[in-house]
Amino acid sequence: MYKYKIIMLSLIVICVAGFGALCTVTSIADDERGFRGHFEREDQHSIPFLESDNEGNETAGQMAAWLLLVANLPVALSLMIKGTNRFTPLRAELKKTLANLNRMQKKALMWLHYYLNPAILGIALWHWLSSRCKSSALPELGLMVMVTVVVLGLLIKFKLCPQAVRKYAYQIHTQPVIFLAMFLVLTVGHLIVD
C-alpha cells in the first residue's frame, strides 16, 4: 500500500512540474517586444468603478487556473487509469493493480476536487468582477459553464436534490465533453482578451 502512495505522489509531482515548466517557458517567451499593443483598444480593459492596476486581477486568474488544475487532477488520473484498463491489452494482475491504485488515489485526493472547486469558483468570480473585458464574451460563457458544473457537483456531493434529479445532475457533471468545452472556451476567450 505504501508503494502505491509513493508512485501516486511521484506522478502528481511530475505532472505539476511538467505543466509548470510549460507555463514558465511560454511566459518567458512573451518578452513584451511591442506586439501586445497592436491588438488592443486603449480602454478595453477599463472598468469604471476600478481605477487600480490590473495586477491583482491577473493574480486571481492565475490562482484560479492553477487551482483548477490541482482540483481536477484526481479526476483526470482516474479517467486515465480507467481508460488504460479498458482499452489496452494488459494482464489481469496489472489491471487489478491499476484499479487498486485508482481506488487509493481517489480515496486520498478526491477531497481536493470536492472542496477546491467551489473555492476556485469564488476566485474566478472575483477575477471576473474585477477585470471584465469588452472585447470578448467567451470568458463569461466559460464562467457560466463553470458555475453550472460546480453547482451540479455540490448538489450531488451533499445530496441537496431529489434522487431523480441527482441522476441527471451526475450525468451532466461527469461529462468530459463539458469540462473540455469549458477549458477550451476559457482558453480561447483569454487568448482573445490578451
Side-chain angles (χ1 to χ4, degrees):
M1 196 62 109
Y2 181 72
K3 177 174 74 173
Y4 296 123
K5 288 181 181 179
I6 297 287
I7 293 171
M8 189 54 58
L9 184 62
S10 300
L11 286 173
I12 292 170
V13 168
I14 290 169
C15 289
V16 171
F19 190 74
L22 177 68
C23 290
T24 304
V25 168
T26 57
S27 68
I28 290 172
D30 182 23
D31 58 359
E32 309 249 352
R33 300 219 179 189
F35 297 107
R36 184 171 282 230
H38 294 292
F39 300 106
E40 294 182 357
R41 293 188 309 266
E42 188 67 30
D43 65 341
Q44 110 180 356
H45 294 293
S46 65
I47 299 172
F49 62 89
L50 288 176
E51 298 293 329
S52 63
D53 190 18
N54 207 19
E55 284 297 315
N57 306 336
E58 290 179 18
T59 303
Q62 290 285 329
M63 283 174 43
W66 281 103
L67 288 174
L68 190 66
L69 173 74
V70 171
N72 292 298
L73 185 64
V75 176
L77 286 173
S78 178
L79 289 173
M80 287 182 348
I81 292 171
K82 284 181 181 179
T84 302
N85 269 350
R86 186 171 182 191
F87 297 115
T88 58
L90 299 173
R91 296 187 317 262
E93 63 187 34
L94 186 55
K95 284 188 177 192
K96 185 177 178 183
T97 303
L98 284 173
N100 288 338
L101 181 67
N102 189 31
R103 193 174 314 111
M104 190 184 61
Q105 74 91 14
K106 285 171 79 174
K107 189 175 184 179
L109 299 175
M110 279 305 282
W111 66 271
L112 290 169
H113 182 74
Y114 299 143
Y115 298 109
L116 268 183
N117 276 320
I120 293 165
L121 183 60
I123 294 170
L125 287 170
W126 168 42
H127 172 63
W128 174 70
L129 286 171
S130 60
S131 63
R132 283 181 282 181
C133 185
K134 301 171 192 170
S135 65
S136 174
L138 287 178
E140 285 83 0
L141 179 63
L143 185 63
M144 287 190 303
V145 173
M146 180 187 276
V147 168
T148 304
V149 170
V150 170
V151 167
L152 288 175
L154 289 172
L155 291 176
I156 295 164
K157 172 65 179 162
F158 298 110
K159 298 178 179 151
L160 300 173
C161 59
Q163 182 68 28
V165 176
R166 199 177 312 146
K167 175 185 172 185
Y168 296 113
Y170 181 80
Q171 288 175 343
I172 294 169
H173 179 79
T174 57
Q175 280 294 323
V177 173
I178 292 176
F179 182 78
L180 291 174
M182 178 189 74
F183 180 76
L184 184 65
V185 166
L186 285 172
T187 302
V188 170
H190 281 81
L191 288 174
I192 290 172
V193 167
D194 287 341

